[in-house]
Each structure stands twice: as C-alpha cells, then as structure tokens.
Amino acid sequence: MKKTLTTLVVLATTFCSAQAQQKPVYLDETKPIEQRVNDALSRMTLNERIRVIHAQSKFSAAGVPRLGMPDFWTDDGPHGVRPDVLWDEWEQAGQTNDSCVAFPALTCLAATWNPAMARLYGESLGEEARYRGKDMILGPGVNIYRTPLAGRNFEYMGEDPLLASRMVVPYVQGLQSKGVASCVKHYALNNDEEYRHQVNVVVSDRALHEIYLPAFRAAITEGKAWGIMGAYNLYNDQHNCHNEITLNRILKGDWGFDGVVVSDWGGCHDTEQAIFNGLDMEFGTWTDGLTMGRTNAYDNYYLAEPFKKLINEATGQRKADLLKALDEKVRRVLRLYFRTTMNKHRAQGFLCSEDHYAAARKIATEGIVLLKNSPVKAFSRKGTGNRLLPLDLTKNKKILVVGENAIKMMTVGGGSSSLKVQRELVPIDGLLEAIGQKSAGCTVDYARGYVGDTIQSFDGVTVGNHKLGDSRSEDELINEAVSKAREADVVIMFGGLNKSGRQDCEGVDRQQYELPYAQDRLVEALVSANPHLVYVNISGNGAAMPWLNKVPAVVQGWFIGSEAGHALADVLLGDVNPSGKLPFTWYTSLEQCGAHALKTYPGTWREGKKIIDEEYKEDIFVGYRWTDRLKKEKPLFAFGHGLSYTTFELGKAVADKNVMQEGDNITFTLTVTNKGDRAGAEVVQLYISDKKSTLPRPVKELKAFQKVYLQPGESRNITLTIGIDALKFYNDKQQAWTAEPGAFEALIGNASDNITSRVKFTLSGL
C-alpha cells in the first residue's frame, strides 16, 4: 500500500510539472512581452484578430474570452475619469458609483511650470481610473495654443513646445505607473475646433517639427506612452486617424512608437486607409460619424466586417499584405493588453480619496497666476494705497463678491472632458469657509452682476448648489452690483468664460475675444464705484481686458476642478503665495496673434469640396515668437509672466564655458534670492537666441526652466543645463535637425519679457 501511494505521488508530481511546462507563453508574465505577443497571436482566429481592433461599445473594445483576455475599457480624461455612459449612447448610465475628483484643467497644470505636479497629477488620475476599472485614459492633450479663440485650449498645455514637452512626460509616466495606459491626444495639428472634421492643415515641415510635434514626440520617446489618439482634422489631404506621414512615417517610423493608435470617436473614414495608414484601434464610428447609426453597429466599422471581407476575398500578394497589416495591428493591441488588462500585478487604485483632493488643491494653487497687483489709490472713505492682495481681513471687513462664475460649477460641460464629481466647491463658498475660519468680524455679500450660462447639466449629469436662473435685465444686474460696491471695502469679481458652446468648449470655437455677457461694462461700472476691485478670471483662454489699467488686481483662476473654492481662497487670502506663470501669451487684441494678423484662421473652403484649407502662414512664429517680432506692440501679459506676494532677485548668470562643441553640455548658474517676508516660489526661465542663421529664427526660444521654493531671505544657486539639441532648428530643405556654428546668447529671467541676464557663447567644431 505504501509503495502504491508513493507511485501515485510521483506520477501526480510528474503530471503537474508537465502541465506547468505546457502553460501558454502568453499567460506567463515572466516571459518577454514580445514572446507573449507572438504566442497569443499564433493562437487567435481571424475573427478574434478582427474582434480586438475595433470597439464593441462606446468606450470598450472586446477581449478574447477563449484565451482568457478580458475586455478593454477606455474613458475620457484628461482632468478626471468621465462617468460611465450607456452601451451605445453618450447619455450617462445613471450609476451611483462613478463620481470622481476633478483635477485642474491642463492649462492650469502647465501654468505650474512644475513637472513634479504633472507626475502627481498622472498618479492621482491613474489611481482613480484603476478603481473605476478603466484601462486607458484618453489624455493628456498637448495641442498647441495657436489662437485664443480655440474652444479646446483649456484641455491643452499652452503655446510652447518645450514647456508642454516637459510637463507631458511625467504626466504620462505617473498615469502608466498605475497600470493605466495614456492615450496622448490629438495627434496632430488639432489647434482649433471650428470645422474640425473638414479642416486640412497646410503647414511647413519646419513648423510641424519645431512647434506642433515636440510634445507628442516627448510623450512617446521619453514618456513611453502606450497609446496615442489621431485627430479629426486632415494633414496633407489625409485624415489624421489614418495618415501615412504622421502615423507611419513619423510616429511609428522615426519615433519607434510600439503602442496603439486609437481613432478619435468618428475619426475613421475609410477601410483601405485605416488598414495601411497606421490606425490600430477604431472607436466611435457607428455607421455615420458620431451621432447616427444602427444600434450595435460595431461589426460595420471600417476595421470590422469590411476589413475581414477584403481579406476573405483577396488572393496572392494582396491577401498577404492585408494579413500582415492585420497582424501588425493585433500585435500592438496585444502589447497594450499585456501592459494593462493582462497585468495581474496592477494595484486596485483609490477613488475620491483625501489624498486626491489634496493633490487637486496643490496643483490648482501652484497654477493660479497673479497677473497684476498694483497699489490702489486712496479711496475717499478708506484706503491705504497698499496692494489689495493678499486680502487683509483686518482692513477689509465688508467684502462684496460679484459674478456668475463665483457660484457656477465648472466641472460639467465643455465636451468630452465633462465630469460627474463627488464634490466641487465653488469660489464664493470657498471664500465664505476660509473667511469664517479666519475672522468673525467680516461680512460677505453677493451680487450677480451678469447672467451667462444658467444650464448646469450635460449628457444626463446635473449639478449646482446655487440657483443660476435670473430674469433681471443687464441694467438691473449692474445697478445692484454697483450699489453694493459703493458700500464695500473690497470687491472681488469672478468673471471670464464658462464651458458652454462658443466659449471654452469642444466642437466649436469662440466668436469674439472680448468677455461675454457685458462683463466689460460691469467691470468698468464696478471700478468706478469702488477702485478696490479684484478681478478673478475663470477660463482656459485669454480675453481682452480694455479696463486693465483701472483695475488694481487681476488673477487668472482657470478651471481648477473640485477644489476650486479652496484653492482660490488660499491664494486670495494669502495662505498660498501664488507662483503660477502663463503658459501662453495673453494678447491685447486678436491682431497681436499671428494666426489672426495674417488672416489664416479659420481657413478657406476648397472650391467644390467639403474641405477647408487652413494655412499656418505664421509658420514657426507662434505666441511669444510672434509678439517678439512686433517690438513696440507689447501683449497684455507675456508668456511666462506671473507675480508673487514676495520679491525675488535673480543674480547675474554665468556659464561654465563660452565655447560649446558637439557632444557638449553648457551649464548656466545664477543665485536666486527671496528678498521679501513671505516664503514663495519663482520660475527661472532660460531662452536661447541664435544671433545668425541661414533660416529665420525667433528672437528667443524657451529651452530650460526650473521652479525654486525659497523661505524669506533665503538664497539658492540654480543651474540650468542645455545640450546641442537646444540650439538646433529643423531644416526642411534637408529634412533634418541642424545646429549651425556661430554666436548664441542665453537669456535668463522670470518671464519672456523680463530678462535679467544675458550670456554669450559660441558653438564651434561641427
């Protein structure tokens, strides 16, 4: 009996060992990912391969149940995890467990000029996505701020390719560290929303590579993003969701991208082009774009049954080419699955945690920009001539808050980035809470001032803890605000834009640069009644401010999400010293913007065609690169501008060498001192000027920056290092990046219009 038992044990052990050895390679996480991909692909039928390259619902793609591969779930970002929608509809599913924390819009993140905040942002968002069961977040967005009318600028990271590049990399890395794929968007040249499905962008190779591609390239080559989303618009007469140049040649060829190209929802237009021009996963097509089609029409997608039909009907080399293209797409999808859905070691994540609210508040306060803070002339009843900010509650006992944006929730609306938040504190409630904690002797009154967008719902999500409906006339609203302003010690107006159509909103652009809803008239009336006026602009875009020289204090408050009220109160009351810097040039008027000065926006309809050609005639001269050429015409606020409640002194910069050769780096060192009585942060910015080149170059270009935190009286040495890449331009004649020997100058300061040190050096030896 003993012998028999021993024999059975040996046999069982041998059998189990054999079974272990026969474990499919694709299920073995110890194997190299490419080996797993090839093994899984070899086991898939044609139907299964077709199955994984197109959507099965609004936001999911099918897995392979037979092989134990779960479905793949995407969701909109980039500022929070979008609420779940019905299987075939944009309407919300009505669940009670799909709320989120809303993080600040990406213009605010870029305004922090702090890559550490981008990493915190990505990690926090990744944890929320994981808890919600999402495998890919559709973001971040890094399209360039080319015109302040573009409706989707609030979702992007400003006008400068270097700033956007340095901020997108840690965001992607932070998000993917939680096992959630980043899908960087919208690749490429989606720089305005008007006619976005019909626009064919005409742009030089030089501008394409120097201005519009660097942030995408950094996300791929440095951030190692697992996904990228094609844009709606066309380039070189091909839609960017299946574009031979941008996808095959540049993205997958030059940059070596090994992830998936995802179509924007409704961005795929043709089976043949989708097969051979770089698209990997098709989403949102239905049978007629975004809105029309048959229920459960996913088998009719361009990369579904039509693709399979071509394969089944083909013979010879044509069939081989189709199968090769299919397998290449499936390999990319499988690689994505092994990084996400098939990764058994992903953490579960957290939803609406206090850490996430703290992160949102921290990012928001670092991104809020103090645009102006001038001394106030003595007021007839009270006034010391001091600056209004931070608010002194011992002197300002009667505070009047004015404006719809003080009471309006901003997390709903604006298009696909609309959210369903667990909570959102609006500005007036944040002020009331903070003032109540600080001073029992202060009173806060409110006047509406203007009526804008009173709708507080989007795709089935309804929000709002303040009633927005108001039938009073423009005169009645202004008269009430002025009457109350006369009795106040200080007036804080929350104005700007919102996320309704023709403002900061997907799908359409703004139609005017001026503030809407007669806000200019309101500001003029308020400051005439009480010169102690603080204007807080809530928007993702710049706007005209014809009254700027009359208003002593101006703050850019962005769309900053769940913690808006807390973050704005932190800055206005001085609990946080503002350190944000503008990520774009704030023009005095549209005529200061190259796209409008040259009348190239929004383009010209092609005769007899449903295509509009938009030529980027300003070429590489976008934002400050354009306004630097105007010389005497200064913008309202320059790129990189942002004030503080303390004073920083930037010492003279010195270089570690005055001659640079290929392969060298050059390091610039300077001392930064906090000369004031408050702790704070300054952003040291380094621009490079090429003194002579064969092709036209901007007056200066941002090439490095560093944010430094200093206690009162503290000094610190800052080093900024650049390599030869910082001196290169894209030579479109040679189709290559080029650095030319000669004289250069490093311009160092704390804004593009406030250069405090100039260091000359020479590039030689090439």
Side-chain angles (χ1 to χ4, degrees):
M1 179 62 109
K2 203 172 188 182
K3 251 186 188 182
T4 307
L5 282 174
T6 303
T7 303
L8 288 173
V9 169
V10 171
L11 287 172
T13 303
T14 304
F15 177 76
C16 290
S17 299
Q19 287 291 92
Q21 291 173 2
Q22 293 172 10
K23 179 181 179 181
V25 172
Y26 77 93
L27 291 176
D28 188 348
E29 293 185 273
T30 67
K31 299 294 185 183
I33 194 168
E34 295 308 311
Q35 189 176 343
R36 298 176 69 197
V37 166
N38 289 331
D39 180 63
L41 180 63
S42 70
R43 299 170 186 271
M44 294 172 68
T45 66
L46 176 61
N47 284 339
E48 287 169 339
R49 281 180 284 170
I50 291 289
R51 172 187 175 91
V52 300
I53 63 171
H54 66 84
Q56 65 169 355
S57 75
K58 271 294 179 194
F59 283 100
S60 73
V64 186
R66 184 179 66 85
L67 298 180
M69 297 182 183
D71 293 345
F72 182 84
W73 286 89
T74 72
D75 211 340
D76 270 313
H79 311 132
V81 187
R82 182 175 178 161
D84 293 328
V85 300
L86 298 172
W87 190 262
D88 285 324
E89 307 291 338
W90 291 109
E91 190 73 10
Q92 307 308 312
Q95 297 180 9
T96 57
N97 61 347
D98 60 347
S99 297
C100 69
V101 172
F103 298 94
L106 293 189
T107 41
C108 179
L109 175 62
T112 70
W113 287 61
N114 187 349
M117 290 298 98
R119 176 75 190 209
L120 175 64
Y121 197 122
E123 290 179 353
S124 302
L125 180 60
E127 289 173 351
E128 298 247 327
R130 277 296 301 126
Y131 190 90
R132 291 271 307 280
K134 308 304 179 186
D135 304 303
M136 172 182 277
I137 285 293
L138 306 177
V142 290
N143 293 98
I144 292 296
Y145 186 110
R146 177 177 174 254
T147 162
L149 298 189
R152 220 163 174 180
N153 279 341
F154 72 98
E155 291 189 42
Y156 302 143
M157 295 188 182
E159 72 183 31
D160 185 78
L162 186 278
L163 175 61
S165 295
R166 299 283 60 82
M167 297 301 290
V168 71
V169 169
Y171 180 118
V172 169
Q173 292 172 335
L175 181 66
Q176 294 186 169
S177 73
K178 304 302 177 180
V180 178
S182 173
C183 187
V184 185
K185 63 186 187 183
H186 300 90
Y187 182 72
L189 300 166
N190 186 186
N191 308 112
D192 50 74
E193 290 293 285
E194 207 71 12
Y195 311 116
R196 59 181 177 167
H197 296 279
Q198 291 85 33
V199 166
N200 177 60
V201 174
V202 181
V203 63
S204 72
D205 283 350
R206 187 178 176 200
L208 178 70
H209 285 273
E210 287 192 24
I211 304 296
Y212 298 103
L213 293 187
F216 290 105
R217 183 180 68 231
I220 299 306
T221 61
E222 298 177 53
K224 306 299 181 183
W226 297 337
I228 195 167
M229 180 186 290
Y232 283 133
N233 53 286
L234 299 88
Y235 165 67
N236 201 41
D237 286 335
Q238 290 183 353
H239 282 279
N240 279 344
C241 286
H242 31 68
N243 190 296
E244 165 62 25
I245 295 175
T246 59
L247 297 180
N248 285 345
R249 192 183 307 174
I250 297 175
L251 176 68
K252 294 181 176 180
D254 297 345
W255 300 347
F257 177 59
D258 70 354
V260 297
V261 175
V262 175
S263 73
D264 203 343
W265 271 233
C268 185
H269 300 272
D270 180 86
T271 294
E272 195 80 15
Q273 291 187 33
I275 293 170
F276 293 110
N277 286 358
L279 181 62
D280 299 312
M281 296 182 80
E282 178 187 1
F283 279 88
T285 301
W286 283 31
T287 53
D288 183 19
L290 284 169
T291 58
M292 302 295 293
R294 291 175 288 175
T295 300
N296 290 317
Y298 305 102
D299 286 342
N300 293 292
Y301 273 28
Y302 295 106
L303 288 182
E305 288 298 323
F307 190 2
K308 188 169 73 172
K309 185 172 183 290
L310 288 179
I311 292 172
N312 287 333
E313 292 177 351
T315 58
Q317 188 59 46
R318 167 69 170 172
K319 191 179 190 76
D321 291 342
L322 289 168
L323 287 172
K324 180 181 178 181
L326 173 61
D327 286 353
E328 169 61 16
K329 298 178 194 303
V330 176
R331 279 194 178 89
R332 291 176 178 273
V333 172
L334 289 172
R335 199 174 291 129
L336 178 66
Y337 283 8
F338 291 137
R339 288 165 169 167
T340 56
T341 62
M342 296 292 285
N343 178 4
K344 298 177 182 177
H345 305 290
R346 291 193 295 173
Q348 290 303 304
F350 302 91
L351 184 66
C352 298
S353 71
E354 289 309 308
D355 283 349
H356 293 167
Y357 283 108
R361 187 170 180 172
K362 173 66 173 170
I363 295 163
T365 56
E366 280 214 27
I368 292 171
V369 183
L370 180 61
L371 294 173
K372 181 179 180 183
N373 195 25
S374 300
V376 187
K377 295 179 181 178
F379 189 35
S380 58
R381 185 177 63 257
K382 181 180 290 187
T384 64
N386 293 329
R387 290 174 172 83
L388 285 181
L389 295 177
L391 287 178
D392 186 342
L393 297 182
T394 65
K395 297 176 181 178
N396 296 295
K397 295 294 187 181
K398 297 176 67 175
I399 300 170
L400 175 66
V401 175
V402 179
E404 180 175 287
N405 281 357
I407 62 172
K408 180 176 175 60
M409 292 178 70
M410 292 293 187
T411 54
V412 164
S416 59
S417 63
S418 181
L419 300 171
K420 182 169 81 174
V421 295
Q422 184 189 52
R423 68 175 190 252
E424 176 185 353
L425 193 71
V426 296
I428 192 169
D429 290 340
L431 275 174
L432 286 168
E433 179 185 311
I435 291 171
Q437 293 171 352
K438 288 175 175 290
S439 174
C442 288
T443 62
V444 179
D445 197 5
Y446 174 73
R448 181 64 174 270
Y450 71 92
V451 175
D453 177 15
T454 61
I455 298 172
Q456 298 195 87
S457 63
F458 183 83
D459 280 349
V461 175
T462 300
V463 298
N465 55 356
H466 289 272
K467 182 181 177 182
L468 293 189
D470 198 318
S471 60
R472 287 177 292 172
S473 69
E474 181 181 307
D475 286 342
E476 289 174 314
L477 292 163
I478 292 177
N479 289 340
E480 179 201 36
V482 167
S483 176
K484 290 186 175 184
R486 291 194 180 104
E487 302 302 317
D489 294 329
V490 65
V491 180
I492 307 173
M493 177 180 164
F494 292 89
L497 307 177
N498 56 49
K499 292 185 178 179
S500 61
R502 298 293 180 188
Q503 294 200 46
D504 284 316
C505 185
E506 178 184 357
V508 289
D509 288 342
R510 298 164 65 192
Q511 292 185 309
Q512 61 182 29
Y513 190 49
E514 295 73 28
L515 290 171
Y517 315 128
Q519 290 182 72
D520 288 336
R521 183 186 169 202
L522 173 61
V523 173
E524 294 274 8
L526 287 173
V527 77
S528 294
N530 187 337
H532 291 184
L533 175 63
V534 177
Y535 175 74
V536 182
N537 193 69
I538 306 297
S539 75
N541 263 309
M545 293 182 175
W547 34 260
L548 181 63
N549 62 341
K550 303 176 186 177
V551 176
V554 180
V555 173
Q556 176 58 18
W558 311 110
F559 299 118
I560 50 180
S562 290
E563 288 290 278
H566 283 143
L568 287 164
D570 287 342
V571 169
L572 293 173
L573 298 179
D575 293 328
V576 171
N577 193 347
S579 61
K581 301 282 186 175
L582 285 178
F584 55 75
T585 303
W586 197 301
Y587 304 107
T588 300
S589 66
L590 284 180
E591 285 66 37
Q592 285 187 325
C593 173
H596 295 275
L598 298 178
K599 303 187 186 308
T600 64
Y601 166 89
T604 305
W605 286 102
R606 198 177 293 181
E607 187 174 353
K609 304 287 185 181
K610 294 182 179 180
I611 292 178
I612 185 170
D613 290 308
E614 187 172 358
E615 185 175 1
Y616 288 13
K617 290 182 180 179
E618 71 279 13
D619 202 56
I620 62 170
F621 298 99
V622 176
Y624 68 90
R625 290 165 168 81
W626 178 268
T627 55
D628 277 353
R629 304 172 82 198
L630 302 180
K631 295 181 180 178
K632 293 183 179 180
E633 287 186 47
K634 302 300 182 184
L636 209 58
F637 302 107
F639 172 79
H641 169 79
L643 305 177
S644 171
Y645 294 151
T646 191
T647 302
F648 295 98
E649 180 181 88
L650 275 60
K652 180 177 175 57
V654 295
D656 65 344
K657 58 173 68 78
N658 56 22
V659 177
M660 183 180 179
Q661 296 183 340
E662 187 171 9
D664 281 353
N665 291 330
I666 183 168
T667 297
F668 303 89
T669 303
L670 71 155
T671 301
V672 183
T673 303
N674 183 346
K675 305 287 284 187
D677 58 2
R678 288 175 177 265
E682 181 61 289
V683 179
V684 182
Q685 304 165 32
L686 184 152
Y687 299 82
I688 292 295
S689 177
D690 188 347
K691 309 314 290 184
K692 185 179 181 181
S693 64
T694 55
L695 294 179
R697 299 198 70 174
V699 173
K700 60 179 178 290
E701 298 175 274
L702 181 71
K703 293 301 178 181
F705 62 88
Q706 185 176 338
K707 194 166 195 174
V708 55
Y709 296 84
L710 299 172
Q711 295 298 318
E714 183 183 3
S715 294
R716 191 177 303 170
N717 288 334
I718 299 301
T719 59
L720 297 167
T721 301
I722 61 170
I724 195 170
D725 285 349
L727 311 183
K728 291 180 178 180
F729 61 92
Y730 190 83
N731 190 322
D732 47 6
K733 295 178 181 178
Q734 298 177 5
Q735 295 288 295
W737 288 91
T738 303
E740 295 178 332
F744 290 83
E745 192 171 31
L747 313 176
I748 300 173
N750 62 2
S752 64
D753 66 342
N754 191 35
I755 302 301
T756 57
S757 281
R758 296 173 179 267
V759 183
K760 294 180 179 179
F761 65 97
T762 302
L763 176 65
S764 68
L766 297 183

